[in-house]
Amino acid sequence: MTVRDFQQAFDEKIDKEIAIEPRDWMPDNYRKTLIRQISQHAHSEIIGMLPEGNWITRAPSLRRKAVLLAKVQDEAGHGLYLYSAAETLGISRDEMIEQLHSGKAKYSSIFNYPTTSWADMGAIGWLVDGAAIMNQVALCRTSYGPYARAMVRICKEESFHQRQGYEILLNMSKGTEIQRKMVQESINRWWWPSLMMFGPTDDDSPNTEQSMRWRIKRFTNDELRQRFIDVTVEQCKILGMTLPDPELKWNEERGHYDYGPINWDEFWNVVKGNGPCNKERIATRVKAHEEGAWVRDAALAYSEKQKKRNNKTDHQAA
Amino acid sequence: MPEQDKHKNEWPLWEIFIRSKAGLDHKHVGSLHAADAQMAIENARDVYTRRMEGVSIWVIESKNIHASDPDESSSLYDPANDKIYRHPTFYNLPDELKHM
Ligand SMILES: [Fe+2]
Ligand SMILES: [Fe+2]
């Protein structure tokens, strides 16, 4: 078969919604795009543990602490599912970690914002996990098999993340005046960055078209953002809180909420590394990785030694 | 970085198979890194069975798996292709016939 035949067979599979599997032929750029997207996604899960990890020791009750721990542990798991999916494309784990630490690889900008109050644990679960779920549900049908399977697994676990966050806010919103203020203030800080999680507008997202053609992406950034806004506005009403956008208004004709302009300068500024916590986040990861090096080396040395010992006893027995 | 340095100290990769309940086959769920088989099983428990998804775990070092070549699938599966008589619907039997 020639490259053209391979390409044709690949295109046909995509059109027929047949999943692409690791050993199948695929265009170089399809592979590259996936490696970039999946590893970025994995990094987001891993870095995403940090803002919430910040509150584990200060959770207001044992119940909340157990829940937050379980959620953060899930995010570590999500990172691992995704790293493992990316590795099927021929990039090594160490290479991905190296790209994260050097700043070559990106992760979701949302995790470069600080968590300054307990209400943030609620707002993150509700809004940040909520936005992530919107994205991830769509990716359950992405064309690359291992990525889609990782997404299905992740989506099953995500819904508790959002519900526990919403429950935190719901309880606090029935509390004292100070608690209600904390909730509103937290929503005000997390709303806009959550909308930015869907990425630049479709006009500003040059890769979207190709990704849609390859069925890596199933919906555009703006489509998913709109969906998220429509459901979240209603959820906010039950909390008795407001979203910090005076232009938010139901549009009968479109059947959607209209919303005000997003501050894309802020978005790009954070992407470029100038958000409030970019440096701190990476420094924390690098430190953990470096301080864990001796553990990894020791485990490897131990297993080598065991192997040698087992070989020896095998020979003796023979 | 030269290619071999990129994962010089990386723990080996293991493929994980989980039996979700007694009576079912083990099913591939993904992979993970571990220094040895025991650690692979323990990591698999933490990564893939946090919600009681399994009653049994198999781990196999990825390098020990041999796979068929997808580009040769047409010739590989050729012997099965023209033997539709292996399927029960190949046989034309009267509708009155029951329990068969
Ligand atoms: Fe997650
Ligand atoms: Fe989550």
Side-chain angles (χ1 to χ4, degrees):
Chain A
M1 280 188 21
T2 67
V3 171
R4 256 189 68 197
D5 297 334
F6 281 126
Q7 177 74 51
Q8 202 177 3
F10 173 85
D11 290 342
E12 261 173 44
K13 269 195 217 159
I14 295 283
D15 290 341
K16 286 190 200 147
E17 304 267 336
I18 297 173
I20 307 300
E21 293 294 343
R23 287 166 52 91
D24 294 345
W25 185 92
M26 60 187 87
D28 277 350
N29 272 334
Y30 177 81
R31 186 185 298 276
K32 268 188 214 143
T33 303
L34 276 171
I35 288 179
R36 185 169 21 96
Q37 182 170 331
I38 301 174
S39 65
Q40 222 174 70
H41 198 158
H43 299 325
S44 302
E45 303 282 353
I46 297 299
I47 297 285
M49 290 192 282
L50 299 176
E52 289 177 297
N54 180 35
W55 280 91
I56 290 174
T57 56
R58 290 173 289 164
S61 70
L62 190 56
R63 178 181 183 270
R64 292 290 176 208
K65 185 173 181 161
V67 168
L68 188 56
L69 255 177
K71 182 194 187 276
V72 171
Q73 194 192 4
D74 270 357
E75 305 303 3
H78 297 174
L80 291 174
Y81 304 154
L82 287 160
Y83 281 133
S84 130
E87 281 173 275
T88 63
L89 291 158
I91 185 168
S92 76
R93 179 78 60 93
D94 280 357
E95 237 174 311
M96 285 187 274
I97 304 285
E98 160 69 25
Q99 289 177 354
L100 171 67
H101 292 178
S102 71
K104 189 179 168 222
K106 302 282 175 219
Y107 54 88
S108 184
S109 278
I110 192 91
F111 302 118
N112 290 317
Y113 291 86
T115 44
T116 52
S117 87
W118 170 254
D120 287 0
M121 297 305 98
I124 288 183
W126 175 40
L127 298 174
V128 177
D129 286 78
I133 290 169
M134 222 19 114
N135 236 325
Q136 292 172 158
V137 166
L139 284 170
C140 288
R141 295 198 304 118
T142 191
S143 58
Y144 187 57
Y147 192 22
R149 292 192 285 274
M151 278 303 124
V152 170
R153 195 174 290 281
I154 287 173
C155 285
K156 276 190 200 147
E157 302 184 349
E158 281 294 348
S159 96
F160 119 70
H161 295 184
Q162 195 183 19
R163 291 171 71 98
Q164 63 85 33
Y166 192 83
E167 192 198 57
I168 289 175
L169 296 185
L170 192 62
N171 280 4
M172 288 180 80
S173 72
K174 292 174 188 154
T176 62
E177 201 42 49
I178 293 172
Q179 285 175 314
R180 293 182 52 77
K181 249 174 95 180
M182 272 170 76
V183 172
Q184 186 59 62
E185 188 264 343
S186 181
I187 293 172
N188 292 350
R189 274 185 294 112
W190 291 97
W191 174 248
W192 290 107
S194 298
L195 296 189
M196 296 176 197
M197 282 176 71
F198 296 93
T201 58
D202 295 348
D203 300 333
D204 254 336
S205 177
N207 299 326
T208 292
E209 202 189 320
Q210 180 62 77
S211 280
M212 298 278 283
R213 169 71 191 88
W214 278 331
R215 308 219 176 157
I216 294 176
K217 267 187 170 182
R218 313 295 310 222
F219 301 95
T220 71
N221 297 351
D222 285 334
E223 282 168 349
L224 291 170
R225 184 166 19 242
Q226 182 70 62
R227 235 187 249 183
F228 173 72
I229 292 170
D230 291 347
V231 299
T232 309
V233 172
E234 299 303 321
Q235 294 167 352
C236 190
K237 287 180 187 162
I238 298 174
L239 291 177
M241 297 288 152
T242 55
L243 295 169
D245 179 359
E247 290 178 51
L248 210 51
K249 206 172 98 232
W250 179 251
N251 183 326
E252 193 71 59
E253 215 171 289
R254 291 201 311 128
H256 291 293
Y257 279 93
D258 289 338
Y259 53 97
I262 294 172
N263 183 350
W264 292 111
D265 289 342
E266 175 185 328
F267 174 78
W268 290 115
N269 197 38
V270 180
V271 169
K272 285 189 189 112
N274 305 318
C277 300
N278 296 56
K279 295 201 176 65
E280 183 189 329
R281 298 289 185 240
I282 291 299
T284 306
R285 281 311 314 155
V286 171
K287 182 166 178 268
H289 190 71
E290 282 172 359
E291 289 180 355
W294 71 271
V295 180
R296 294 192 297 277
D297 292 344
L300 208 54
Y302 175 76
S303 90
E304 294 295 328
K305 206 168 157 188
Q306 285 304 100
K307 253 185 247 162
K308 266 184 212 147
R309 194 170 290 166
N310 289 344
N311 278 346
K312 224 190 207 163
T313 38
D314 282 352
H315 286 305
Q316 277 164 0
Chain B
M1 246 191 295
E3 190 58 39
Q4 66 272 27
D5 287 358
K6 274 183 197 156
H7 37 98
K8 192 175 53 176
N9 290 325
E10 206 172 79
W11 286 345
L13 190 66
W14 300 75
E15 299 301 321
I16 312 302
F17 299 80
I18 307 259
R19 186 201 294 287
S20 57
K21 63 177 195 191
L24 295 181
D25 293 326
H26 285 77
K27 199 175 143 202
H28 184 243
V29 292
S31 62
L32 52 76
H33 290 272
D36 56 33
Q38 188 55 38
M39 188 194 279
I41 288 175
E42 279 159 17
N43 286 356
R45 177 203 57 200
D46 292 343
V47 177
Y48 292 107
T49 67
R50 285 194 303 284
R51 288 172 176 78
M52 317 256 292
E53 290 96 334
V55 295
S56 161
I57 299 173
W58 283 354
V59 301
I60 299 157
E61 217 180 314
S62 309
K63 67 174 188 204
N64 291 328
I65 292 199
H66 301 263
S68 60
D69 183 348
D71 297 332
E72 282 165 9
S73 59
S74 54
S75 56
L76 186 66
Y77 301 116
D78 192 41
N81 229 343
D82 56 354
K83 296 184 180 58
I84 45 167
Y85 45 82
R86 282 191 164 137
H87 298 275
T89 45
F90 178 75
Y91 302 92
N92 233 332
L93 302 178
D95 291 345
E96 309 88 84
L97 185 70
K98 299 287 181 228
H99 307 297
M100 192 181 280

